[in-house]
Amino acid sequence: MPDRVPDADLIRRLRVGDRDAAGTYYDRYFDAMFREARKAYGPDESACLDVVHDAMLKVIKSPPKADVAEYLEAWSRRVARSVAVDRARAESRRGRREQAAAAERASVEIPREANATKNRDVHGLLGRCEESVRTLL
């Protein structure tokens, strides 16, 4: 597929699942989408590549309507930004869940010192019980 296929034709070909159109779209808009991911997500190149990958899949699975053709680059950057923001929010939520789980575990765990004190108390009580009760316990 020639590289300078008009965007309207590129969109129509994406809509029918043309693999060459997907490659052309990728080649044409990768750089713009990557720059947008960097602006929205930050300097982590690997994460930005993941963002662009997810954005490309989103576009290829559900191409825009043909009336977006004259704004396809801007629309593509918007998709990349949206995916970056969604990913950042998901990571933020995951971080909050992990912190809450860690705090819950910390509040449930009994410190070793407290555990040792409880063990001494139990052994002291057992020592005062009759032999038959100690055996039963």
Side-chain angles (χ1 to χ4, degrees):
M1 172 180 280
D3 185 49
R4 285 308 341 158
V5 172
D7 283 345
D9 291 340
L10 184 60
I11 291 170
R12 277 192 285 284
R13 290 179 178 176
L14 284 172
R15 291 187 89 55
V16 297
D18 184 333
R19 286 179 182 246
D20 290 336
T24 299
Y25 177 81
Y26 182 91
D27 292 341
R28 191 176 294 177
Y29 293 109
F30 174 85
D31 291 335
M33 293 172 85
F34 184 78
R35 283 191 305 275
E36 196 65 32
R38 270 257 161 95
K39 282 193 272 183
Y41 197 78
D44 182 349
E45 182 177 359
S46 178
C48 290
L49 288 171
D50 288 343
V51 165
V52 174
H53 176 265
D54 292 350
M56 286 286 181
L57 288 176
K58 191 172 190 173
V59 170
I60 290 168
K61 287 180 181 178
S62 183
K65 294 186 176 13
D67 62 351
V68 176
E70 65 183 285
Y71 310 107
L72 189 57
E73 183 176 343
W75 183 86
S76 298
R77 288 193 325 263
R78 178 68 181 169
V79 171
R81 174 174 286 282
S82 175
V83 169
V85 168
D86 289 348
R87 180 181 283 256
R89 285 179 181 158
E91 287 180 6
S92 177
R93 285 190 304 267
R94 187 188 72 229
R96 285 192 304 270
R97 283 192 311 268
E98 288 173 356
Q99 285 177 344
E104 185 177 326
R105 280 192 306 272
S107 69
V108 170
E109 291 177 7
I110 300 171
R112 288 184 184 259
E113 301 81 33
N115 211 4
T117 302
K118 287 182 182 181
N119 285 340
R120 279 193 301 272
D121 293 344
V122 168
H123 286 292
L125 290 171
L126 285 173
R128 290 187 291 225
C129 293
E130 293 179 15
E131 181 66 32
S132 62
V133 173
R134 274 196 306 259
T135 304
L136 180 61
L137 292 173

